[in-house]
Structure formats: C-alpha cells, structure tokens
Amino acid sequence: MATLIVLLATFAFAILIRLVFFRQQPINYRLCGRIALAGMFLFTGVSHFLLDDGMVQMLPEFVPFRYFIIYVTGIIELFFAVGLLLPQYYRLTGILVIAFLICVFPSNVYAALNSVDFGGNAYGPIYLLFRVPLQVFLIGWAWIVAVRQPT
C-alpha cells in the first residue's frame, strides 16, 4: 500500500510542479509518470536496506543468500529509479521494470500464503486480492509511461 501511495503522491506532486513552474508548456503526463515510478523505486530500493529483516522473511527459508538477494534487488530498484529519469535509458529501464515486477511477484504470493508480517502480507491470502491488481497496475503504469511509443 505504501508503494501505491508514494507512486500516486509523487505523480500528483510532479503534475503540480509542472502546473506551477512550467505553465506555458503542456503537461507531459508520461514524464510525470516516470518521475513517480522513479520515486516509488527510490522508496522501495532504500527500504531493502532499512527493512531488510522484514523483506528477507518474504523469501522461503530454502532460498540461499536471502539477505544478499534483498540487497541486490534493492540496488536494482535504485538503478531503476535513475534509469527512468534518463531519456536515453527510460524505455529499456521500463522493459526491465516489467520483467522485474513479474519475477518478484512469487515472493509476494509466498509471503501472503504464509502470512509474513511485512508489507500487508500478514493478512494472509486475502492480501492477494489487493496485491495482484496492484502488480498488474504497476506493470501497466511502467508500460504506459516508459515502454509504449507515444502516438
């Protein structure tokens, strides 16, 4: 839920900045969307280092090097935050973001099915009723703002 709040709040803030300081230019919603997605990945990437104990619980115990995986995925998310802001890399980054979101989804399913007390997963399998649409929404957001060619 926090990621959705960060995404939407950053999107609204980016639009507000465009309206206040760049009134003469039309709002580039795709750019604002990339800024918002970058803000979300900055938030989640930093969380991998500050909340590593909780995140490591989202991986099954049989997975080796769980802390290492959490730190590496945090670094990847920080690279996404940067790549989404660079005009020459945002499309490639968007493709990688979509692949990443698909790859990490099983950890969310595992955490929900095992009621891991982190990120809403403590609610158990019912949390997937929120998480699955959120994951689809984030993939769609990345597609629209970073991957899809403008018409």
Side-chain angles (χ1 to χ4, degrees), residues 49-127:
F49 297 95
L50 300 179
L51 305 172
D52 55 346
D53 291 331
M55 288 195 179
V56 92
Q57 295 174 20
M58 294 179 67
L59 299 174
E61 289 192 23
F62 66 82
V63 173
F65 311 111
R66 293 186 308 160
Y67 277 94
F68 178 74
I69 291 169
I70 295 303
Y71 297 140
V72 167
T73 54
I75 291 168
I76 289 169
E77 290 181 7
L78 294 173
F79 275 114
F80 287 161
V82 173
L84 287 164
L85 299 176
L86 299 173
Q88 64 271 35
Y89 295 113
Y90 72 75
R91 188 163 194 278
L92 173 62
T93 303
I95 293 168
L96 295 173
V97 161
I98 291 169
F100 179 83
L101 290 171
I102 292 168
C103 289
V104 299
F105 186 68
S107 69
N108 290 294
V109 173
Y110 170 83
L113 293 178
N114 291 284
S115 300
V116 172
D117 190 17
F118 184 80
N121 294 299
Y123 295 112
I126 196 81
Y127 177 65

Side-chain angles (χ1 to χ4, degrees), residues 4-52:
L4 181 61
I5 292 169
V6 169
L7 178 75
L8 297 177
T10 307
F11 184 62
F13 186 70
I15 290 172
L16 181 65
I17 293 296
R18 295 287 295 188
L19 287 171
V20 171
F21 294 106
F22 303 97
R23 279 181 282 193
Q24 67 280 9
Q25 300 174 10
I27 297 173
N28 183 338
Y29 290 101
R30 293 183 75 218
L31 173 60
C32 293
R34 285 192 303 275
I35 292 168
L37 198 57
M40 185 198 79
F41 276 114
L42 176 64
F43 172 76
T44 58
V46 168
S47 297
H48 279 244
F49 297 95
L50 300 179
L51 305 172
D52 55 346

